[in-house]
Amino acid sequence: MKTVEISEAALARYGRKETCFLTRHGKPVAAVVPLPPGMDAETFSLSHNAAFIESFNRSWKSFTEKGGALLEDVERELGIASKVGKPRTRRVARKSVARRSRTHR
């Protein structure tokens, strides 16, 4: 691991390429980690949150053992009106009818 003195502005430049550890008195206190292409900060944060991962794993285990429930069934059981209505049908644009000019009547 290399040690460099770095300003705040240059930190972002280093963090794009490789993980950088910030130290205080020689002990690591934080890390600047480059995000993979297409990953946002929220996804990264959740994927590194132990409590979220444990909750997700419990939910997945329950789903694989017991199966899931349809959204419509849950809404009906809780007495909640569905916010999702029937799928809208796509409107077809009318073909414009060329108007005849008064001189051609």
Side-chain angles (χ1 to χ4, degrees), residues 93-99:
R94 294 184 186 180
K95 292 184 179 180
S96 61
V97 178
R99 294 184 183 182

Side-chain angles (χ1 to χ4, degrees), residues 4 7 16 24 27-28 31 33 39 56 58 61 65 70 73 78 80 82 86 90 93-94 97 103:
V4 294
S7 69
R16 287 187 198 142
R24 178 175 289 139
K27 297 187 183 213
V33 181
M39 182 179 283
F56 178 85
R58 278 194 317 271
K61 182 179 179 188
E65 290 173 355
L70 295 174
D73 295 340
L78 297 175
I80 300 172
S82 176
K86 293 181 185 176
R90 185 178 236 192
R94 294 184 186 180
V97 178
T103 59

Side-chain angles (χ1 to χ4, degrees), residues 4-54:
V4 294
E5 299 254 345
I6 191 165
S7 69
E8 218 174 291
L11 187 58
R13 199 170 57 243
Y14 275 99
R16 287 187 198 142
K17 298 175 186 173
E18 59 185 316
T19 300
C20 295
F21 293 94
L22 306 178
T23 62
R24 178 175 289 139
H25 306 296
K27 297 187 183 213
V29 293
V32 178
V33 181
L35 295 179
M39 182 179 283
D40 61 11
E42 182 179 14
T43 302
F44 179 84
S45 178
L46 288 174
S47 68
H48 289 79
N49 181 313
F52 176 79
I53 293 169
E54 177 60 30

